[in-house]
Amino acid sequence: MNKRWTIHQIKEFVEKNSESKLLSTEYHGFSQKLLFKCACGSNFEKTFTKFKNNNQRKCDVCQPSKASR
């Protein structure tokens, strides 16, 4: 069963598992993009699912997207 995350739980996860900071203040579901601030100071958007499961925890400059197959 999937766990429903709150914005507070997401913020704690981000603080414990990355150098990025969560800037978004509301969370409405897994498809919503959240706003993060990378350790380098750049802002970036990712869904929490990608952030959590795919280790996409930095901006596109610090962690470039993998080339599509």
Side-chain angles (χ1 to χ4, degrees):
M1 186 170 134
N2 285 342
K3 174 181 177 182
R4 291 191 63 110
W5 290 78
T6 66
I7 193 71
H8 180 71
Q9 291 169 321
I10 292 171
K11 184 172 180 155
E12 282 185 0
F13 179 90
V14 171
E15 288 172 359
K16 289 178 183 172
N17 297 287
S18 74
E19 297 175 18
S20 300
K21 293 202 181 325
L22 177 66
L23 299 180
S24 295
T25 57
E26 294 182 350
Y27 181 63
H28 300 288
F30 69 93
S31 62
Q32 174 193 352
K33 286 191 174 182
L34 297 170
L35 184 62
F36 298 92
K37 183 181 275 292
C38 185
C40 74
S42 298
N43 291 350
F44 65 100
E45 287 187 325
K46 289 267 189 288
T47 63
F48 181 59
T49 303
K50 283 186 176 179
F51 187 92
K52 179 170 65 77
N53 296 341
N54 298 346
N55 282 334
Q56 297 180 10
R57 299 181 181 175
K58 296 182 180 176
C59 69
D60 290 338
V61 175
C62 294
Q63 183 179 24
S65 301
K66 293 184 176 120
S68 57
R69 298 179 192 184

